[in-house]
Amino acid sequence: MLARNETIFKWVLYTAATMLCLAVQGAFFQRFTLWGVIPFVYPLLAAIPAAYEGPVPGTIFALAVGVVCDLILPSPLPCFYTLVFPMVGLCAALLAQNLLPAGFLCSLAVTAAAFFLTGGFTALLLWLRGNSAWGASAFLTLRELCVTAPLTVPATVLYRAVYRRAHRDD
């Protein structure tokens, strides 16, 4: 295949894997709660592929995931996920590039970073509106992370398979 065709194929595979995760979130995880929260897979969908692909492509993919999330989720601010997820993708890619090689431990670390960035920006927005919600937001973020953390394993397996399929010749 040509390099352009390989690139298109790679991003189609990443998009298909992400759409599968979005469908599982909507069909199954929305139906139950644990500790008062549902598993929230959207931040890990922005972080894990970025850890495999690097800063620029990972940030752009996280931006696209943020746009999709803003279209399907309510948020405290219009375009909230579009603004936060590129930072999540960049942080995840830089963490994977400089500290931890992409894999299960890295996926868990970037997922935690994604949740803390998302929760931190939510708390900041509430604070700017006059609501002091740092403690409640931190507790909610911690509960969401604990409920969602086991899902990093299947997400890592899925995105690692896509990465290996797309980068066979590297």
Side-chain angles (χ1 to χ4, degrees):
M1 277 193 276
L2 298 173
R4 179 177 172 200
N5 289 344
E6 291 173 357
T7 302
I8 292 169
F9 181 68
K10 172 177 72 172
W11 292 111
V12 166
L13 286 177
Y14 274 117
T15 302
T18 302
M19 290 299 155
L20 174 68
C21 293
L22 291 173
V24 169
Q25 170 76 36
F28 299 110
F29 296 142
Q30 294 291 116
R31 309 257 186 259
F32 69 93
T33 61
L34 182 64
W35 292 334
V37 295
I38 62 170
F40 191 62
V41 300
Y42 304 107
L44 66 92
L45 299 179
I48 294 174
Y52 281 102
E53 286 300 323
V56 174
T59 302
I60 293 170
F61 186 76
L63 173 69
V65 171
V67 169
V68 170
C69 287
D70 279 326
L71 292 173
I72 62 175
L73 295 174
S75 63
L77 173 76
C79 302
F80 175 76
Y81 295 108
T82 304
L83 296 172
V84 172
F85 280 1
M87 289 184 279
V88 165
L90 181 62
C91 289
L94 292 175
L95 181 69
Q97 191 175 44
N98 296 321
L99 294 175
L100 292 170
F104 292 109
L105 183 60
C106 181
S107 293
L108 190 58
V110 299
T111 297
F115 272 97
F116 291 131
L117 278 171
T118 305
F121 278 105
T122 301
L124 180 66
L125 286 174
L126 290 172
W127 178 73
L128 289 174
R129 290 183 178 173
N131 301 330
S132 181
W134 293 103
S137 180
F139 186 58
L140 175 66
T141 300
L142 182 64
R143 288 183 303 169
E144 285 180 340
L145 176 61
C146 289
V147 168
T148 309
L151 299 175
T152 59
V153 173
T156 302
V157 169
L158 178 65
Y159 284 119
R160 185 191 317 192
V162 169
Y163 178 79
R164 286 185 176 166
R165 172 67 178 99
H167 293 271
R168 261 191 219 167
D169 299 330
D170 291 350

